[in-house]
Protein backbone atom coordinates (compact mmCIF):
# COMPACT_ATOMS: atom_id res chain seq x y z
CA UNK A 1 0.00 0.00 0.00
CA UNK A 2 2.95 2.36 0.42
CA UNK A 3 4.28 1.94 -3.14
CA UNK A 4 3.79 4.51 -5.87
CA UNK A 5 5.61 5.13 -9.13
CA UNK A 6 7.52 8.42 -9.36
CA UNK A 7 5.20 11.28 -10.34
CA UNK A 8 7.83 13.45 -12.04
CA UNK A 9 8.58 11.08 -14.94
CA UNK A 10 7.44 7.77 -16.41
CA UNK A 11 9.12 4.74 -14.86
CA UNK A 12 11.13 2.38 -17.03
CA UNK A 13 10.08 -1.23 -16.50
CA UNK A 14 11.95 -4.23 -17.86
CA UNK A 15 9.65 -7.13 -18.62
CA UNK A 16 11.64 -10.27 -17.86
CA UNK A 17 10.87 -13.21 -20.08
CA UNK A 18 7.80 -14.78 -18.44
CA UNK A 19 8.34 -18.23 -16.95
CA UNK A 20 5.22 -19.85 -18.36
CA UNK A 21 4.29 -23.51 -18.61
CA UNK A 22 0.90 -24.71 -19.85
CA UNK A 23 0.10 -28.37 -20.16
CA UNK A 24 -2.19 -31.24 -19.43
CA UNK A 25 -2.41 -33.17 -16.16
CA UNK A 26 -2.27 -36.88 -16.98
CA UNK A 27 -4.42 -39.53 -15.37
CA UNK A 28 -1.56 -40.18 -12.93
CA UNK A 29 -1.35 -36.49 -12.00
CA UNK A 30 1.83 -35.60 -13.90
CA UNK A 31 1.85 -32.30 -15.80
CA UNK A 32 2.74 -32.87 -19.44
CA UNK A 33 3.82 -29.51 -20.95
CA UNK A 34 2.30 -28.49 -24.26
CA UNK A 35 4.62 -26.27 -26.32
CA UNK A 36 1.85 -24.82 -28.48
CA UNK A 37 -0.32 -23.88 -25.47
CA UNK A 38 2.71 -22.40 -23.68
CA UNK A 39 3.73 -20.25 -26.65
CA UNK A 40 0.15 -19.05 -27.09
CA UNK A 41 -0.04 -18.11 -23.40
CA UNK A 42 3.23 -16.13 -23.63
CA UNK A 43 2.01 -14.35 -26.77
CA UNK A 44 -1.33 -13.42 -25.18
CA UNK A 45 0.38 -12.23 -21.98
CA UNK A 46 2.69 -9.95 -23.97
CA UNK A 47 -0.23 -8.61 -26.04
CA UNK A 48 -2.15 -7.73 -22.87
CA UNK A 49 0.88 -6.01 -21.37
CA UNK A 50 1.20 -3.85 -24.48
CA UNK A 51 -2.51 -2.87 -24.17
CA UNK A 52 -2.42 -2.25 -20.41
CA UNK A 53 -2.74 1.05 -18.56
CA UNK A 54 0.80 0.46 -17.29
CA UNK A 55 2.11 0.76 -20.85
CA UNK A 56 0.28 4.03 -21.40
CA UNK A 57 1.83 5.62 -18.30
CA UNK A 58 5.31 4.08 -18.26
CA UNK A 59 8.04 2.81 -20.58
CA UNK A 60 7.99 -0.97 -20.86
CA UNK A 61 10.88 -2.88 -22.42
CA UNK A 62 10.53 -6.56 -23.29
CA UNK A 63 13.96 -8.03 -22.65
CA UNK A 64 15.62 -10.14 -25.33
CA UNK A 65 17.13 -13.55 -24.68
CA UNK A 66 20.60 -12.71 -23.43
CA UNK A 67 23.61 -14.98 -23.97
CA UNK A 68 26.73 -15.45 -21.88
CA UNK A 69 27.15 -13.59 -18.60
CA UNK A 70 24.08 -11.33 -19.08
CA UNK A 71 21.98 -14.45 -19.76
CA UNK A 72 23.26 -16.11 -16.60
CA UNK A 73 22.54 -12.96 -14.57
CA UNK A 74 18.96 -12.71 -15.86
CA UNK A 75 18.42 -16.45 -15.34
CA UNK A 76 19.77 -16.32 -11.79
CA UNK A 77 17.49 -13.44 -10.81
CA UNK A 78 14.49 -15.01 -12.50
CA UNK A 79 15.10 -18.14 -10.41
CA UNK A 80 15.60 -16.05 -7.28
CA UNK A 81 12.33 -14.21 -7.96
CA UNK A 82 10.54 -17.56 -8.16
CA UNK A 83 12.00 -18.68 -4.82
CA UNK A 84 11.11 -15.38 -3.14
CA UNK A 85 7.56 -15.19 -4.53
CA UNK A 86 6.84 -18.77 -3.44
CA UNK A 87 8.12 -17.85 0.03
CA UNK A 88 5.87 -14.78 0.06
CA UNK A 89 2.88 -16.93 -0.85
CA UNK A 90 3.73 -19.55 1.78
CA UNK A 91 4.82 -17.28 4.60
CA UNK A 92 3.11 -13.92 4.08
CA UNK A 93 -0.27 -14.51 2.52
CA UNK A 94 -1.38 -17.20 4.96
CA UNK A 95 -1.29 -16.30 8.66
CA UNK A 96 -0.53 -19.81 9.92
CA UNK A 97 2.83 -20.06 8.16
CA UNK A 98 4.36 -16.69 9.06
CA UNK A 99 8.12 -16.73 9.49
CA UNK A 100 9.24 -15.62 12.99
CA UNK A 101 11.40 -12.84 11.50
CA UNK A 102 8.48 -11.53 9.43
CA UNK A 103 5.61 -11.76 11.97
CA UNK A 104 5.91 -8.27 13.41
CA UNK A 105 6.50 -6.58 10.06
CA UNK A 106 3.70 -4.84 8.26
CA UNK A 107 3.51 -4.58 4.51
CA UNK A 108 5.50 -6.45 1.94
CA UNK A 109 9.10 -6.61 3.13
CA UNK A 110 10.77 -9.04 0.75
CA UNK A 111 13.80 -8.48 -1.47
CA UNK A 112 15.98 -10.04 -4.14
CA UNK A 113 18.94 -8.08 -2.74
CA UNK A 114 20.86 -5.07 -3.99
CA UNK A 115 22.60 -7.18 -6.63
CA UNK A 116 19.59 -6.31 -8.80
CA UNK A 117 21.45 -3.05 -9.53
CA UNK A 118 23.34 -5.15 -12.11
CA UNK A 119 19.97 -5.76 -13.81
CA UNK A 120 19.24 -2.01 -13.73
CA UNK A 121 22.58 -1.37 -15.47
CA UNK A 122 22.01 -4.15 -18.01
CA UNK A 123 18.46 -3.11 -18.90
CA UNK A 124 18.50 0.64 -18.25
CA UNK A 125 15.33 0.18 -16.19
CA UNK A 126 14.08 1.35 -12.81
CA UNK A 127 11.91 -1.71 -12.21
CA UNK A 128 11.70 -5.32 -13.31
CA UNK A 129 8.44 -7.17 -13.86
CA UNK A 130 8.68 -10.93 -13.39
CA UNK A 131 6.08 -13.61 -14.09
CA UNK A 132 5.74 -17.21 -12.90
CA UNK A 133 2.80 -19.07 -14.42
CA UNK A 134 2.08 -22.78 -14.32
CA UNK A 135 -1.18 -23.97 -15.77
CA UNK A 136 -2.30 -27.54 -16.30
CA UNK A 137 -5.67 -28.76 -17.44
CA UNK A 138 -7.03 -32.19 -16.62
CA UNK A 139 -6.83 -34.74 -19.42
CA UNK A 140 -9.85 -36.85 -20.30
CA UNK A 141 -8.40 -39.69 -18.23
CA UNK A 142 -7.80 -37.40 -15.26
CA UNK A 143 -11.37 -36.10 -15.40
CA UNK A 144 -12.70 -39.67 -15.55
CA UNK A 145 -10.58 -40.57 -12.51
CA UNK A 146 -11.95 -37.50 -10.72
CA UNK A 147 -15.51 -38.61 -11.52
CA UNK A 148 -14.78 -42.09 -10.09
CA UNK A 149 -13.38 -40.41 -6.96
CA UNK A 150 -16.56 -38.35 -6.58
CA UNK A 151 -18.65 -41.48 -7.07
CA UNK A 152 -16.65 -43.04 -4.24
CA UNK A 153 -17.74 -40.17 -1.97
CA UNK A 154 -21.35 -41.11 -2.58
CA UNK A 155 -20.71 -44.60 -1.18
CA UNK A 156 -18.55 -43.25 1.65
CA UNK A 157 -14.97 -43.67 0.34
CA UNK A 158 -13.73 -40.24 -0.71
CA UNK A 159 -10.58 -39.75 -2.77
CA UNK A 160 -9.77 -36.07 -3.32
CA UNK A 161 -8.59 -36.01 -6.92
CA UNK A 162 -8.05 -32.62 -8.49
CA UNK A 163 -8.18 -31.99 -12.20
CA UNK A 164 -5.70 -29.34 -13.23
CA UNK A 165 -3.54 -26.91 -11.28
CA UNK A 166 -3.51 -23.18 -12.01
CA UNK A 167 -0.84 -20.93 -10.47
CA UNK A 168 0.18 -17.45 -11.56
CA UNK A 169 2.31 -14.78 -9.93
CA UNK A 170 3.63 -11.45 -11.10
CA UNK A 171 6.02 -9.29 -9.15
CA UNK A 172 7.39 -5.80 -9.61
CA UNK A 173 10.93 -5.36 -8.27
CA UNK A 174 12.71 -2.06 -7.64
CA UNK A 175 16.00 -2.75 -9.41
CA UNK A 176 17.96 -0.23 -7.30
CA UNK A 177 17.02 -1.82 -3.96
CA UNK A 178 15.94 -5.31 -5.00
CA UNK A 179 12.71 -4.89 -3.04
CA UNK A 180 9.56 -6.62 -4.18
CA UNK A 181 7.15 -3.71 -4.38
Amino acid sequence: TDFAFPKDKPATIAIFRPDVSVGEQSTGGVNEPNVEWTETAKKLLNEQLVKSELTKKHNLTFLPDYNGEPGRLVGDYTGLFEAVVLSVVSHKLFAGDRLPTKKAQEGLNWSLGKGTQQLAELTGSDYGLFFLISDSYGSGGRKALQAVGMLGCIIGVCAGISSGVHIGYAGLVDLQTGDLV
Side-chain angles (χ1 to χ4, degrees):
T1 57
D2 57 347
F3 173 75
F5 285 111
K7 300 235 185 276
D8 59 333
K9 64 176 181 141
T12 56
I13 304 169
I15 307 295
F16 286 80
R17 191 169 153 221
D19 184 350
V20 176
S21 175
V22 183
E24 188 173 51
Q25 189 180 26
S26 70
T27 305
V30 176
N31 184 47
E32 298 172 353
N34 182 305
V35 174
E36 183 179 333
W37 294 354
T38 298
E39 292 306 314
T40 299
K42 287 179 184 178
K43 178 180 170 259
L44 292 172
L45 176 62
N46 287 341
E47 286 175 3
Q48 290 305 308
L49 282 168
V50 168
K51 294 177 185 177
S52 75
E53 287 298 313
L54 190 67
T55 306
K56 294 173 186 163
K57 295 178 184 175
H58 303 288
N59 300 319
L60 271 62
T61 302
F62 292 85
L63 297 184
D65 288 333
Y66 291 103
N67 293 316
E69 184 60 26
R72 185 198 58 77
L73 180 70
V74 169
D76 286 351
Y77 275 98
T78 299
L80 181 58
F81 166 75
E82 291 178 10
V84 170
V85 78
L86 292 175
S87 293
V88 169
V89 170
S90 294
H91 302 296
K92 176 67 178 171
L93 297 183
F94 302 105
D97 286 337
R98 297 277 160 85
L99 294 173
T101 57
K102 299 282 186 182
K103 280 186 180 177
Q105 297 175 355
E106 293 297 321
L108 189 64
N109 188 7
W110 295 76
S111 180
L112 304 185
K114 290 191 180 208
T116 55
Q117 291 173 358
Q118 298 171 75
L119 294 173
E121 292 169 13
L122 176 68
T123 65
S125 299
D126 304 312
Y127 300 93
L129 185 56
F130 293 85
F131 292 92
L132 171 60
I133 301 168
S134 179
D135 216 1
S136 64
Y137 297 88
S139 67
R142 184 71 179 181
K143 290 175 185 173
L145 184 61
Q146 186 179 29
V148 169
M150 291 179 2
L151 180 62
C153 282
I154 293 171
I155 61 172
V157 182
C158 288
I161 299 169
S162 66
S163 182
V165 177
H166 312 284
I167 300 169
Y169 306 108
L172 186 66
V173 175
D174 181 327
L175 295 180
Q176 290 302 314
T177 64
D179 293 344
L180 188 60
V181 295

